[in-house]
Amino acid sequence: MHATKLEEGDDREDMELNQIWRACRKIQGAIFRYNFDICADLKQHDPGCSGFVSEPIFSAVLGKYRKVAGMSETELRDVTDYFQIRDGRVAYRQFCKVVCSETLQKSAKADLATGLEWNDPWHVNVIPQPEDRRRLCLILLKIAQESNIPLMPYFQDYELIAQNVGVVTVSHFSRVLHFMKIPLSEPDFLLLLRRYMKDGYLVNYVAFLKHIDNIVSYLKEHQLLDNSRDIIKDFPGRLVDLELSQLPAINGCKVVHPIFPDACNHPKKNRSQCDIIFCIQNYVYKNQLRTTEFLESFDTLRIGSITKNQFERALSNMGVGKYLSQRELAVLVERYLDPMDINRVRWRNFVDEIDTVFTIKNLDKMPQCVVESPLRHIQELPRPGAVDWQAAPKSMRELCEEAMAKIRIRIRNRRLYLHPFFRSYDKLNSGHVRCNQTNQIFRTNGILLSNQELDAVLHRYGNELGFYYTKFLDDVDPAEYAMPSMVTKQQLQECPPFARDHVQPEVVSEETIVRILTSAKRQALTKGLAVIDFMTDYDRHREGEILESDFKRSLDNSGVSLNEEEVTILCNIFRSPRRTATVRYRDFCKALDEIFIQLESNMADQVVTAVPLLHLPNLDCVDCFLSFDERTICSQALMKLARKPDEISNLSQVFKDFDRESCGSITQNQFLRGLTVREMHQMLSSREFEAICKCFGMKRGLCLEFNYREFLKILDVLFTTGQMKRNY
């Protein structure tokens, strides 16, 4: 126990010494940066040259340069306590020896100091583990191989701006490596920082570049620069490589061979004309592109052909050019070459063939033709990097089928829904996740597969983007148990009578119906909506009825905001007796029109007349409600402002300049600017200004604006009333 306490005390002393040494280093840097003589200032207070001064004098002299040196109060106190002797005085001569390199007077012939006199330009940190040292050597060897041009100018540019000496920040060090396209993983970059970090936040790039130059010189001297890639490749612990690495073990499942050998280790095979056309059709169908719009702009004379360069530019604008090589582009040009002019391409033939993925040309002349969109070969087009499953070994396919059967049984018995698990890992909604994430999802849901079965599933649904879980879920989880089955009339008749009698619709009170209709009327009135215009488009045969889903969609598009329960109640009220899945939207619109017109019928003449109603909407809102105190403050503020009405201050012209739309309202900021222009803002306090803005506020969109017209009318009324009382 005593030994532990002694060790803790030694550690604490070491920490204190490190802090004191760091503070002295700050003072040294400030002395040579700003060229002041702190030792001479201390010597002025020691006429006897005893080498000691009092503590207040020493603290005052150091405090004079504390901000310049970047020292804190704690560091100043620690330095003072360290050089203080028992009688309370401070040994400033010892302090000057430490700070000024044991010289109290600087020589006049001394060279200009740079601040590196106490810094080691080749400062590096020690890496104790031998595995990390070997890994660091490989990283430096890889960087030396990839850096074909010198790196020193990129670091020196930053040094000229930041005025550092041999060091750069971590972020700039990372930016230079990224700009030079030197691939480093996060653990490798952290290992470099462990080696070359200085002062906790800087990187000694001088030592880093020196080591890189030494490696390059050694390789050139022994003629190993061209064989350095083989050195890294043969090393079993390589971590930095530009090629795609093999997949690691997936949660204990050892993968001996790459899962996607065709995509990772073999070059892409030359695609034929059909493969190129299928690739373009697949891209056009997924992105819903109109191919004609990208090509016809180059054909100004509408002759049906364009040059080869224009054809290539059109494909690049379309986004297909990045998926085609030069050989494939030449094959495509040769397919649509103009026989009349070999330098031009018949783009109309290309468009007709690509657009077959959507429909067939001249379909109006073939009424019995059934169009399949997209075509089956486009739907089943393999993704880049995917394995040809038909050419896979029979044993692997059998293992995959057994694994798929196990997964289907597990999903059906446990009612598992795997879509949210995969989507939580798929942040970009690409339909792909990593292979280790797939295995993790399987284990989370209790789907236990052997290593061979897991490899077979990954081979089938894997490609260069990862595991294609969308296709996997379509095959293994059709979710038939979750889909509501249609009940036929025969099945309904087979149900016992008591089962049908107990199913009764919910009874909605009349008060609820009136409240929902009132809310819809209020929104249609204040927003000036013609709801019938949004619903007529869905009634193609003008029957006055539309589907319930179309009714909800059109009601939402019109801007009438109701919750799902209220919309369902409206659908039940106006449901058609002929078809239960439709809603009589015209009756609903007539109910809404009662706020605009009033129907009057004459029984004698049997004539119904529509009388328009004049409605003045209430512009008050909840945010404009004033309490008793706020009303009192507002009335007092208006009495103050009534001394300068519009006849005197001409406020209306200022407000009209802000109101460009002539809608009668401006923002609160514009209202304050108008008062400031007429020098009336001094008459109001902040509480009075807020009360007036709240009193004359009106909702416009999502903002609360100021109704300046009503405000000016009130001021004129108050001014006139005050004049009449005064004359009376």
Side-chain angles (χ1 to χ4, degrees), residues 60-72:
V61 173
L62 284 187
K64 178 181 177 182
Y65 304 103
R66 181 178 65 84
K67 292 185 178 180
V68 177
M71 296 174 58
S72 62

Side-chain angles (χ1 to χ4, degrees), residues 174-190:
S174 175
R175 284 196 297 268
V176 171
L177 295 181
H178 179 71
F179 178 76
M180 297 301 298
K181 297 182 180 179
I182 298 175
L184 285 179
S185 60
E186 184 177 357
D188 300 338
F189 183 71
L190 294 178

